[in-house]
Amino acid sequence: MKPSEVVIFAKDKGARLVDVKFVDFLGVWQHFTIPIGELSEEIFEEGLGFDGSSIRGWLPIDASDMLVVPDPATAMMDPFTEHPTVSLVGDIRDPVSGAAYERDPRHIARKAESYLRSTGVGDVAYFGPEAEFFVFDDVRYESSAKQSFYAIDSEEAVWNTGRDEGQNLGGKIPHKQGYFPVPPQDHQQDVRSDMVRVMEECGLKVEKHHHEVATAGQAEIDFRFDSLAACADKLMLFKYVVKNVARKYGKTATFMPKPLFGDNGSGMHTHQSIWKNEKPTFSGSGYAGLSETALHYIGGILKHAPALAALCNPTTNSYKRLVPGFEAPVNLAYSSRNRSAAVRIPLYSSSPKAKRIEFRSPDGSCNPYLAFSAMLLAGLDGIENRIDPGKPLDRDIYAMSKEEAKDVPQMPGSLDEALVALEKDQAFLLKGGVFTRDVLDAWIGYKREHEIDVIRLRPHPKEFELYYDV
């Protein structure tokens, strides 16, 4: 839509309010709301002011004024508000210079797309994330000076087989057996279907939904791929719908990578490809039907994977999922079949248009604008420098002997390790000015101060079991 069309759209829908959303540095939507009388074509040029010092990782309090400029192409009716409300997603600008704000994730994603075009490698990069999540019935947690705990619950969880529910009807899903039992074991068929319904009303094209492997309500809904920045926008909308529909059912949804001990975590396998002149550049006659371009792209992903982890797996909890010896894709290898490899080449279709690579390590706690941009830049670096991805690993890595497996590199084992890798390997991210040193320094500094140190300083409940009687 154009700005004038948004004004007409709001009138036709009987909107009473306008909700302006923007994504913060860490990848969470923020918002404020204005009366419909304030909606005019001018706000799409002049923007709306807000306090940037209150947004994580952005401006200091002594220089805090910022503008959010709504993007008319994002206009839709918010499906969850009681009063008719037009929803708009905005870009962040400096109020003095009018320039785009360097730490605005949407701005970074657009620069990544521009850089791709400047290389001549392709016109568009397509991304298709598979963001897994949990839907729980109850979540409680506390961390104070004298105690720390968390407690989650789900009506379908295996630990509730013996619970007095007045009438316990069974149908609980055992650990690692949630893929794909039908109802009544799958308690959340209607919840996910309602999520799909709302997503489609909001313009997302959904391909399928299903229960995932873990007990206690793990789920996956797949929506159709799109270009980098557009796909990041869609993932933000996707998470908004998932969380709000879950709440409508009296449940709570989380994209936290590892909320449950002893069962699968939630990843975000990310499919990606590059097209040029409306033709797929990843299709060829090489391994698994890949082109030389695609193999070099894989080489870039694998080479830079430790640094990518700081943006694609950006929480301390991410590394509770990325543990060697389990099903998580920690092995920096590629394969057409092996799901324990970090990069997989899907073989569901023989069509050249479907040829793509799947980076399996990322998770849904990431900021998609930053993560997608970083993956693209790693792949482009591989293409530019003709990085050899090595031989594919088409065997069970976990069945390999220690001697055989010692030469297979792995993802970092902690967020701290990932940030160190990013400090040492960031030249590929600075190409084309997509990321800046300020952005990367701010990211690393924030993560260390507000997440790593926060966890490092606190006793863990398990430590009392291990060490109280020493």
Side-chain angles (χ1 to χ4, degrees):
M1 292 188 199
K2 299 177 181 177
S4 60
E5 294 173 327
V6 175
V7 176
I8 295 171
F9 171 78
K11 182 178 180 181
D12 289 346
K13 294 293 184 180
R16 303 292 300 276
L17 299 160
V18 179
D19 196 58
V20 181
K21 300 176 176 70
F22 61 91
V23 63
D24 71 10
F25 197 40
L26 300 187
V28 177
W29 257 356
Q30 309 294 330
H31 83 127
F32 60 86
T33 306
I34 62 175
I36 193 64
E38 296 296 309
L39 178 64
S40 66
E41 294 183 41
E42 284 71 29
I43 71 168
F44 295 95
E45 288 293 333
E46 299 172 1
L48 299 162
F50 70 98
D51 176 8
S53 69
S54 297
I55 305 300
R56 300 175 298 178
W58 278 5
L59 292 177
I61 196 168
D62 60 330
S64 60
D65 288 350
M66 306 190 86
L67 291 175
V68 56
V69 181
D71 180 352
T74 65
M76 69 173 198
M77 295 302 293
D78 193 298
F80 301 109
T81 54
E82 180 178 352
H83 304 287
T85 301
V86 174
S87 174
L88 292 163
V89 179
D91 299 302
I92 308 303
R93 291 185 190 170
D94 181 275
V96 178
S97 68
Y101 182 46
E102 288 295 338
R103 295 187 194 177
D104 177 11
R106 287 187 98 220
H107 176 54
I108 292 170
R110 289 200 185 96
K111 287 194 291 182
E113 292 182 314
S114 295
Y115 176 66
L116 167 64
R117 292 189 292 270
S118 75
T119 65
V121 171
D123 308 313
V124 59
Y126 287 114
F127 282 77
E130 299 175 358
E132 299 165 339
F133 56 94
F134 278 89
V135 177
F136 297 129
D137 294 308
D138 186 59
V139 57
R140 293 175 291 119
Y141 49 88
E142 181 180 339
S143 181
S144 66
K146 69 179 184 69
Q147 67 178 8
S148 180
F149 78 92
Y150 71 90
I152 57 178
D153 206 2
S154 167
E155 63 178 347
E156 72 167 37
V158 65
W159 57 78
N160 285 324
T161 55
R163 183 172 67 175
D164 183 359
E165 298 179 338
Q167 185 180 16
N168 192 324
L169 299 178
K172 314 300 185 187
I173 294 180
H175 287 294
K176 298 183 180 294
Q177 294 185 34
Y179 192 88
F180 308 148
V182 299
Q185 269 192 299
D186 182 356
H187 288 62
Q188 296 176 3
Q189 169 72 15
D190 290 340
V191 178
R192 295 194 308 273
S193 292
D194 206 12
M195 291 173 180
V196 169
R197 176 190 63 79
V198 177
M199 288 176 190
E200 290 184 327
E201 289 178 356
C202 293
L204 295 182
K205 183 175 176 57
V206 177
E207 296 180 334
K208 65 177 178 294
H209 77 77
H210 58 83
H211 202 289
E212 257 299 340
V213 173
T215 188
Q218 193 181 34
E220 181 178 315
I221 301 174
D222 298 331
F223 63 90
R224 191 166 179 81
F225 65 89
D226 207 334
S227 57
L228 189 155
C231 186
D233 280 346
K234 289 182 177 180
L235 185 56
M236 298 303 298
L237 176 59
F238 171 89
K239 295 174 78 169
Y240 182 68
V241 171
V242 165
K243 292 178 180 180
N244 279 282
V245 170
R247 193 171 185 87
K248 186 183 78 171
Y249 279 84
K251 300 178 184 294
T252 176
T254 180
F255 290 83
M256 183 177 177
K258 189 69 173 180
L260 182 63
F261 171 70
D263 215 328
N264 284 35
S266 293
M268 190 182 76
H269 308 153
T270 304
H271 299 252
Q272 46 204 286
S273 64
I274 295 175
W275 286 50
K276 184 175 183 178
N277 297 327
E278 300 184 353
K279 294 181 180 179
T281 69
F282 278 15
S283 179
S285 57
Y287 173 79
L290 293 178
S291 66
E292 186 178 62
T293 295
L295 289 169
H296 289 150
Y297 188 98
I298 292 172
I301 291 286
L302 295 178
K303 176 184 176 180
H304 298 298
L308 288 177
L311 295 163
C312 299
N313 307 92
T315 67
T316 60
N317 185 256
S318 297
Y319 300 87
K320 302 293 193 298
R321 167 181 169 258
L322 294 178
V323 178
F326 295 90
E327 293 185 15
V330 299
N331 302 289
L332 296 180
Y334 70 103
S335 173
S336 63
R337 299 285 181 91
N338 191 346
R339 291 174 186 264
S340 64
V343 175
R344 187 177 77 93
I345 298 89
L347 298 178
Y348 297 131
S349 172
S350 59
S351 170
K353 293 182 177 181
K355 193 56 62 179
R356 60 197 187 274
I357 69 107
E358 176 191 13
F359 188 32
R360 296 176 60 81
S361 300
D363 64 60
S365 69
C366 71
N367 182 327
Y369 302 92
L370 306 186
F372 295 168
S373 298
M375 285 184 258
L376 175 61
L377 289 168
L380 290 175
D381 186 65
I383 294 170
E384 178 186 352
N385 293 294
R386 302 182 63 81
I387 297 174
D388 183 359
K391 294 181 179 180
L393 198 56
D394 292 330
R395 59 176 295 188
D396 184 355
I397 297 174
Y398 302 131
M400 295 168 65
S401 67
K402 288 185 178 180
E403 184 63 25
E404 291 175 311
K406 69 178 177 63
D407 294 327
V408 181
Q410 295 185 331
M411 292 287 286
S414 69
L415 179 58
D416 202 16
E417 289 181 28
L419 293 175
V420 170
L422 179 58
E423 286 178 320
K424 295 179 179 179
D425 179 23
Q426 54 182 236
F428 73 100
L429 295 171
L430 301 174
K431 290 182 178 179
V434 177
F435 287 83
T436 64
R437 292 197 183 278
D438 170 72
V439 167
L440 297 176
D441 288 347
W443 183 265
I444 292 168
Y446 185 94
K447 289 289 173 178
R448 285 196 170 131
E449 179 181 354
H450 296 282
E451 297 181 30
I452 291 174
D453 287 348
V454 167
I455 297 297
R456 182 183 288 141
L457 289 167
R458 283 164 171 76
H460 190 286
K462 191 68 176 179
E463 290 177 318
F464 281 82
E465 181 180 328
L466 293 171
Y467 308 127
Y468 187 78
D469 291 324
V470 297

